Amino acid sequence: MISFLDLKSVNSEMSGELLAACKRVIDSGWYIAGNELQDFESAFAEYCGTKYCVGVANGLDALILTLRAWKELGKLKEGDEVLVPANTYIASILAITENRLVPVLVEPNPQTFNLCPEHILKSITPKTKAIIAVHLYGQLADMPAILTIAQEHNLLLLEDSAQAHGASIQGRKAGNWGNASGFSFYPGKNLGALGDGGAITSNDAELVDTLRALRNYGSHERYKNLYQGVNSRLDEIQAAMLGVKLRYLDQHTQQRKAIANTYLKNIKNPHIELPLSASVDAEVFDSHVWHLFVIRSNKRDELQQHLTAYGVQTLIHYPIPPHKQSAYPQLNEKSFPVSELIHQQVLSLPIGPTMTMADVNAVIKACNSFSFSDR
C-alpha cells in the first residue's frame, strides 16, 4: 500500500538532528518558555518575513487567541461578524464561535477552493469586522485582492495558514499578508512537530504583547494577571523539533511541487478533475506548497474504492461541510451549493516529500485506469 503520508520516513532522514535537539532540551533542565522557544519564534518569524512569532499549543488556539486578543484590545466585540470560507475545516469556525463572534460563511472559488473576493464583497454588512482567509490545501488565497478589500472596508484580516507554510505570492509569504496569521504544526503538516503545536505571526507589537500574556494565564509577569488567559504554550521539545524541521521545509516543498507537477502532467482521466491545469502560470503555481493534492470526481466513492484496490491510500478532506455539522444546528438549514458539491467530490491523493517516483507513477497509473459503468 502506498501510504497517504509516511511520517516515519519523513522524520527518519533528520532523526539524528531531532534526537540531538531532544537531548539538548532534556539536558538543559528547562522545558517551558526557554531558549528553544525563543530561537524558533525568531527563526519562523524571519522565515515568514514578519517581525514577530508567538508559539502556542496548537493551530486552533492560534486562531482563537488572535480573535480573543483583538477583543481585549477593543477591536472586536461579541456579536461582530467574521467572514470565513464555507468549505473550510471546522477549526476556522470554532475559533469564531469560541469568542462569541458570528461566522458568516462565504462560498469559495471552485477552482482554487479558497475565498472568492467577489463573494466577500457581497457578504459584507455593517456588522462585518474581520475576514479569516484560509489558505486551503496549501494554496494562498487571492491575498492581494482580499487585502485591498480589508483595507477599503476597515476589516481585520486573519490568515488561517495551517496548511500553507512557505506559500507565497510575489515573494510575500503566508503569515505576512494579514494583521495576523495562525499556523498549525500538527505532525502531518508541511512543517509538523512530533506532537501538537501552533504559532501566530504578526507585525503588530501591541497584538503580540497581548497574545504573549493570553497564552500564559493572562500574565506577562509571574503572579500578575492582566487578562483571564489560558495555558497555551509551545513547549521546549516541540520548539526544538520544529527548529530542526524548519531547515528542511523548503527542500520538502520543492519535492512536493515536483510530485504535484508530475500528477498534473500525467493524470488524464475524464472522471478526474485536477486541482490546477498543467498550463497554470508560474506565479500561481509557486503560491501552492501542496500540503494536499486534492482532485475532484463526481464518482468520488467509486474512485476511492478503485484506488484502494490498486494499493493507493487516499483521504477525504473533508466529507461534511461545517454548516452541516451537528455542532452548529443553527447553520444546518443554510444552503451553500458550491461548498456542498466540493465536499461531495474531493479526494486527496498521496503526496509527501519521501515518495519515490515508482510510488508517484503507481498513483498515476491507478488514476488513469479508473473507469465507471452504471451497470
Side-chain angles (χ1 to χ4, degrees):
M1 176 69 73
I2 298 171
S3 298
F4 180 76
L5 177 62
D6 185 355
L7 284 178
K8 184 177 179 181
S9 175
V10 171
N11 292 325
S12 67
E13 68 177 1
M14 60 190 94
S15 61
E17 293 170 78
L18 292 171
L19 288 169
C22 185
K23 184 178 187 302
R24 185 173 67 243
V25 175
I26 293 170
D27 291 347
S28 75
W30 194 289
Y31 308 121
I32 297 289
N35 291 333
E36 297 290 346
L37 176 60
Q38 292 179 17
D39 289 347
F40 174 71
E41 288 176 335
S42 296
F44 194 63
E46 181 178 1
Y47 179 82
C48 294
T50 58
K51 292 180 180 178
Y52 309 106
C53 170
V54 180
V56 294
N58 53 69
L60 176 57
D61 280 2
L63 300 177
I64 290 174
L65 290 176
T66 302
L67 295 172
R68 168 74 186 283
W70 282 332
K71 288 179 68 179
E72 295 289 355
L73 292 169
K75 296 183 178 183
L76 291 175
K77 64 180 186 304
E78 290 186 16
D80 284 345
E81 293 179 352
V82 180
L83 306 186
V84 64
N87 64 314
T88 186
Y89 182 56
I90 198 169
S92 309
I93 316 294
L94 291 170
I96 298 169
T97 56
E98 179 69 17
N99 281 286
R100 298 186 180 181
L101 302 167
V102 179
V104 175
L105 306 187
V106 180
E107 288 275 52
N109 178 322
Q111 278 72 50
T112 67
F113 305 111
N114 283 329
L115 273 176
C116 174
E118 290 183 11
H119 293 159
I120 291 174
L121 287 170
K122 293 176 183 178
S123 302
I124 294 173
T125 75
K127 292 184 177 180
T128 306
K129 300 300 178 184
I131 301 171
I132 296 182
V134 182
H135 307 316
L136 201 61
Y137 307 145
Q139 182 170 207
L140 274 178
D142 186 353
M143 294 310 294
I146 294 171
L147 179 59
T148 298
I149 292 170
Q151 291 172 339
E152 289 178 349
H153 293 266
N154 195 29
L155 304 176
L156 294 164
L157 179 55
L158 173 57
E159 297 174 72
D160 183 341
S161 302
Q163 301 182 355
H165 314 73
S168 66
I169 294 176
Q170 299 170 347
R172 189 171 176 178
K173 288 182 179 174
N176 193 25
W177 284 90
N179 301 95
S181 178
F183 286 87
S184 168
F185 303 127
Y186 182 79
K189 303 299 186 186
N190 289 26
L191 178 61
L194 273 70
D196 263 326
I200 302 148
T201 56
S202 181
N203 294 307
D204 185 337
E206 184 181 34
L207 173 65
V208 166
D209 188 60
T210 306
L211 286 165
R212 286 178 174 156
L214 286 174
R215 73 175 177 183
N216 186 45
Y217 301 98
S219 173
H220 289 110
E221 184 179 347
R222 197 171 189 184
Y223 302 129
K224 292 183 179 180
N225 303 80
L226 293 174
Y227 312 105
Q228 296 177 27
V230 299
N231 177 6
S232 180
R233 299 174 298 205
L234 181 63
D235 67 66
E236 287 288 278
I237 284 185
Q238 295 304 338
M241 301 297 102
L242 288 164
V244 171
K245 299 186 81 173
L246 180 59
R247 298 195 290 270
Y248 287 82
L249 178 56
D250 286 344
Q251 173 190 327
H252 286 175
T253 297
Q254 291 306 313
Q255 290 164 322
R256 287 175 176 273
K257 287 183 176 182
I259 294 167
N261 200 28
T262 303
Y263 282 161
L264 290 169
K265 289 179 178 178
N266 294 286
I267 295 176
K268 302 179 186 300
N269 189 314
H271 296 297
I272 295 174
E273 181 180 338
L274 297 172
L276 293 173
S277 71
S279 62
V280 68
D281 67 66
E283 181 177 298
V284 175
F285 190 81
D286 286 344
S287 76
H288 205 323
V289 294
W290 300 101
H291 171 60
L292 299 172
F293 190 94
V294 181
I295 61 176
R296 292 176 62 178
S297 176
N298 57 8
K299 308 296 183 184
R300 192 262 309 279
D301 293 344
E302 293 85 353
L303 174 59
Q304 186 175 41
Q305 292 169 9
H306 170 85
L307 293 175
T308 299
Y310 272 70
V312 176
Q313 183 184 26
T314 59
L315 295 177
I316 298 173
H317 298 87
Y318 306 97
I320 305 173
H323 69 284
K324 295 299 182 182
Q325 296 285 354
S326 299
Y328 290 106
Q330 71 273 28
L331 299 177
N332 289 170
E333 299 306 315
K334 292 185 177 292
S335 175
F336 298 96
V338 174
S339 293
E340 289 162 18
L341 185 61
I342 287 172
H343 285 269
Q344 292 167 11
Q345 293 185 341
V346 292
L347 186 67
S348 300
L349 299 182
I351 187 165
T354 60
M355 285 183 70
T356 66
M357 282 310 300
D359 290 337
V360 174
N361 289 330
V363 173
I364 293 167
K365 182 177 180 181
C367 287
N368 287 341
S369 67
F370 174 68
S371 61
F372 181 83
S373 172
D374 290 325
R375 69 180 185 275

